[in-house]
Structures are given as structure tokens and as C-alpha cells.
Amino acid sequence: MPSEDEGRIEELKKSLYSRSAPDVRTRRKLRFSDKTSEVPTAWERPVETPSEPVELNETYKEKIPMSFLTKLLIASALFCAIAVGVGALLFFQGANLISADNIDIVINGPVSVSGGEPIKFDIKVANKNNVDLQVVDLAVAFPDGTIDPKDTSKELKIFKELLGDIPAGRSLDKTVEAVIFGEENLQKQIEVIVTYSVKGSSAVFTKTRSYDVLISSSPIGLNVSSFTEVTSGQEFDFDIDVTSNSAEILKNVVLKAEYPFGFQFLSSDPKVAFDQDTWRIGDIPPGQKRTITIRGVVQGENTDVRVFRFRVGAQHSRNPEDIGTEYASVERELSIQKPFVSVEVYVNNNEAQEDYVARFGESTRVEVAWFNNLSVPISNMNITARLSGNAYDKTAIQPDLGTYRSADNEIVWNQISVPELGSVSAGDSGKVSFSITPTNSKATSLTNPIVSVHVDISGNRNQESRVPEKLTSTAIKNIKVASDVSLSGRSLRTVGPFTNTGPIPPRAEQETTYTVLWTINSGFNAVHNAQVTASVPAYIKWMGQIAPASESVTYDSNKGTITWDVGNIPAGTTGSQQRKEVAFQVSLEPGVNLVGQAPILVDQSRLTAIDDFTGSMLESTHDSITTRFSTDPAYRERDENVNP
């Protein structure tokens, strides 16, 4: 290092570490002076020196992979080229392809029609493709309620016709006729289906077009006349007018009624065809009218509303009880008002609302209870009880106070026989009564015996204006008679389905067999769930023989009981060949304690069954069956007693 520089360094050290030289820094500071320095603005390139080229190994040079990005770019370029080519092909040669959009179905017809009038539809099928359509098939699907105008008895569901081939750029026309029925202001839809194929293809293609038609008027006018208000239990009528508005004969017309809860059908004119709600009107010529009258009674609470619906149309082709094509429908509301007089009919003090079940020959007391619901008096009240039914016997009536008119089958109570009926104050109540005995006056021909009591109460309402003076209230009570089902039994020896053995009279400690026969008569009503049960003494042996073998008879050896599951028994089997019978065989080996007695073969037998008509439980019993086979032709007196 030069000596000058060393001197400077030494001097600097002294100024740094000396405490007595403050002027060093001053002198140092005064030594600063401006000096221009040159700073380079860019990196200087190093001087290139020639070098020898580096050569890669040939093995690595051949296996350098292509990058994923390069592959993706190449694939995209190929896809674009193919897409452009296909697009160009479709653009320049697309005229040889076929499209359903180039097939037009044009339907010309009325937008509204009168129900029942013949109408025409012109259908045009146009081929706007450059390819011919082959085997073109036309189908027209019509809505329900369409018939063939050439045969009005046939329903027209679908019309089909083969149109053939339609060349490119050409069209074919077809006119289709039909008669469409339906309710007024009902929108119906017609559907046209065209199926076709093209040359060189086995596929079948379809084109569909819909067309809406409004039914402007119904072919039938349906008018229902009746009360708007009735009292609960009051009989009333519906008058239903069915009028043809069609220019053609309406064939196989059917009327159906839908009844609300609480309505009871009583009768109609003409009579119903099916289930008390269907009437077969038949054919109606143009302009003609048919009237059906329905009589019934409705039950309900005060201010209840009942809705009745009536429908008319052509009979269903497969179900004669239903409507296939509906022409018109009408709904009618009926308001139930509280009766001016509440009336109840009680049988033998039974206040239940359901039918009463009685027995033949049993005297039955009937009470008619009434109550004035009005806030005003009722004058000249009359109470009439009309009697009917196949178990009603006019000679078995005993009225209390009332007048019995046997010719009219009526019992009448009025102010003559019951003075308090002359004027009944608001809130007053009372009772009248009579007795009746159900009687089998038709012998074995009687089925489902019943006595019906129909009560009418009428009177005049006072102190009110603009209201009907005559008022009525009604009530109905049915007295059904239960079947007199009965069970009988006997023992046999020489007759019957089995061969019996052993000594007669029977001997002590020796075996003798008997046939036991049970017989059931169902009487006037059919019964179901019938069953007979009985027990046998310990000295009786069950032989397992049953006739007929189809009957279900079982023996419980643990309990010593015999059970016959009879099942259903038809009505009217008393004394006929239809009555139910079963025979079985038992064996008796009496002990010496039974000597001189007629031993019991089967203890008391008990029959139970349910009456189909009344729904009541029936019961019949038969006394014990012994060795006394007195109905057997070979029986002799004392043959039943056991000998030593």
C-alpha cells in the first residue's frame, strides 16, 4: 500500500479514538468536494470465447416425448377440420335427407259443432322433403262420444286409411266424416296421426297433429223439476224431461241418477232397469221427449243440503248398466228443513232408529210420538198410519182410540177420536198407538216377511201469512219378521244310510249301533253361519260314519261333543227336499244300571244361525235323542228299553 494512504489511515484512527482532537471531524468534513462518477447503464456483455459444440447422446435424442399441450393442439385442429367437412357436406348435400318438420298436416273443419250433427274434416298431408314418402298411413283418433255417420249404432273410436306413397313436393287430401256427441260447451280433441317410411330404411316414422272442437249444443236437453225444500222424512218426486235436440234418432239412450246420503228410493215411472238408479229410455226420434218420475224420501238435519245428479247418454257398448257417451248432466240441490211436527215411530218401546225384528204370532205395540216445532198453534191435526207388507194381516190390528179403515189399510186419528188434535199449541207433544201381530198368511211361499208402517201427519199453520196452510210430516218404520229356523232329530235302526248291528232291544254289556239323523228347516229367510252342537254320554261310542260325506261333522273325544258346521241355508226349505240333513252312527254298550231304561244317545242339540234378512241371531234346540226309534218302520213297543 502507498505511504500516503497509510498516513491517511493512521490519521483517521487518531481522530476516531482520540478524545482531545474535536477538530478532526471538522477537517474531515471540509475535505468533501464534488466529484463526478460515471455509472454504467447496462450490463456489459462478456467477451464470447469460441467453445466446442456439445453433442447429445443418440439414445436420449430418439426418446424425447411430445408434450401434452402439443397433443391437445393437434387433436383440436383435427376435430375442427372434421366438423367443417361434415358441416359443408350437410350444407351442400342436405337436400337428400328427410325431416318430419318438412311434413305438414293441415286440418280444415268446424271449430264448433252441434252435438249429434254429422260433420266433415278435410285433412291434407304435404311432403315438403326432396325424398318420397312410402306407405303413408292415416289414422284419426276421435274422442269418446263419436259415432259412425254411416252406422249410428257403431261407436267410432279411430278412423284408418292407407294413403299410399306421397312423392317429394306433393300432397294428398282426405275427407273424414263423424258425428260427435257431448255436453254443451265441452271442448273435445281430435288427433291425426301419419305414419310413413322412406326408401332404403326399415324404420317407421310418425307425425301427429291435434285439432280442438267445441260442442256448441247438446243433442239432448235435460230438465229436472222438483222441490227446492222438503222436510226430513217427507216423500217427494223428481220429474226428469229428456228431449232430443238432434236431427238424427238418438239410439240406446240411458238415464242415470246419483243419490246423496240419506235418500231412499221408493218407486219410479217407468220402472228402473238396474239398481234403482238406471233407466233404459231407448231410441228418441228428433224433437221427441221422454219423462221419468222418481219418488223417494230424504232424511237429514235442519238446513242440510243434498245434491242430486242426473246424467243422460248413450248406453255403453260393453256394460249395459253404464253410459258410454254422456250427452248432458244436471245437478239439483235440495234443502232439508226442520219439519213443522217431529214424528217418531217406536215398536215395543224400542227407540232405536233401525228396523225392528219381531216373530210370527208375537203381538207388537206401535207408538207414534209427535211434537209441534212451530212457534204458533196447529189446528186440525190428522195422523194416518198406512200398513203394508207380506206379513201384514188386516185381521190382526187393534187400534187405540183411532179409526181403523181395513179397506184402505189405514188407522186414522183426528180431532173426532182424539179431541186435543183439534188445536195443538206451540211446543205441545203427544202419542197415539196400536197393536199388530205379524202373520204368515201365505204359508211356505212367504220370503223375507215384513210389515211397513208409514205415518203421515198433516195440519194447518195459523197466524202466518204467505205460507202454505197445509203442512205434512212423515215417518216410516219397518217391522221385519225373523226366520222360524228349527232343528229336529231322531234315531233309526233299519232305515237310513248305515247298516246297524246288535240286539234289539239292547242288552246290558252288549254293543248295539244306531243311526242319528239331524234335520234343519230355515223357514222364510235364508240364514248363514248355521251350526249344530251336542254332547254324548260316556257310554256312547262315536263310529265315524257320516252321510252325506260332504257335510262337515266333527267329534271331540276329549269333550264328548259333536259339531255340525252347516254354513248357509236357503230360504223356504221347510218341508222341502232342500232342507239340510245329516246322519251319523253311534254305538251303545249299556251297563246293568241302565236295565229297563231307554238310554240317551245324544244330549240336547242346539242350532245357532244368523238371519240374512233381519241380521238377528237365531236359535233352536231339540230334546235328547234316545234309543226310542219310533219313526223306524221296524220299531215295536219297548224296543228302546235295555234288557238284562
Side-chain angles (χ1 to χ4, degrees), residues 210-233:
S210 297
Y211 186 81
D212 292 333
V213 176
L214 179 69
I215 306 296
S216 59
S217 63
S218 172
I220 275 186
L222 186 62
N223 183 62
V224 180
S225 301
S226 185
F227 298 104
T228 58
E229 293 182 358
V230 295
T231 59
S232 179

Side-chain angles (χ1 to χ4, degrees), residues 253-257 259 265 268-282 292 315 320-322:
V253 178
V254 172
L255 173 72
K256 285 190 74 70
Y259 305 129
F265 174 87
S268 69
D269 183 24
K271 293 183 178 180
V272 291
F274 307 103
D275 296 335
Q276 298 184 348
D277 63 359
T278 305
W279 289 262
R280 187 182 291 153
I281 299 175
I292 296 92
Q315 189 177 46
E321 300 183 23
D322 200 4

Side-chain angles (χ1 to χ4, degrees), residues 325-403:
T325 302
E326 186 173 309
Y327 297 153
S329 66
V330 172
E331 288 187 353
R332 284 291 179 267
E333 289 188 353
L334 194 66
S335 176
I336 300 176
Q337 300 299 319
K338 190 175 183 179
F340 83 106
V341 170
S342 297
V343 56
E344 298 287 348
V345 180
Y346 305 131
V347 181
N348 287 343
N349 294 321
N350 189 333
E351 298 184 2
Q353 296 297 318
E354 60 268 13
D355 298 333
Y356 183 81
V357 179
R359 300 280 180 179
F360 277 123
E362 175 185 282
S363 179
T364 305
R365 183 173 180 80
V366 180
E367 290 183 329
V368 179
W370 52 267
F371 179 85
N372 181 9
N373 293 316
L374 299 178
S375 59
V376 297
I378 299 172
S379 63
N380 194 26
M381 182 184 289
N382 281 271
I383 303 174
T384 302
R386 296 198 306 271
L387 306 172
S388 61
N390 54 5
Y392 160 61
D393 183 0
K394 62 177 57 183
T395 64
I397 301 296
Q398 294 181 351
D400 297 339
L401 300 178
T403 302

Side-chain angles (χ1 to χ4, degrees), residues 491-495 504-505 628-640:
S491 59
L492 302 170
R493 270 287 300 179
T494 63
V495 294
I504 294 294
R628 182 177 173 81
F629 54 99
S630 57
T631 59
D632 192 304
Y635 171 77
R636 294 177 302 176
E637 195 64 34
R638 299 182 182 277
D639 275 353
E640 67 272 21

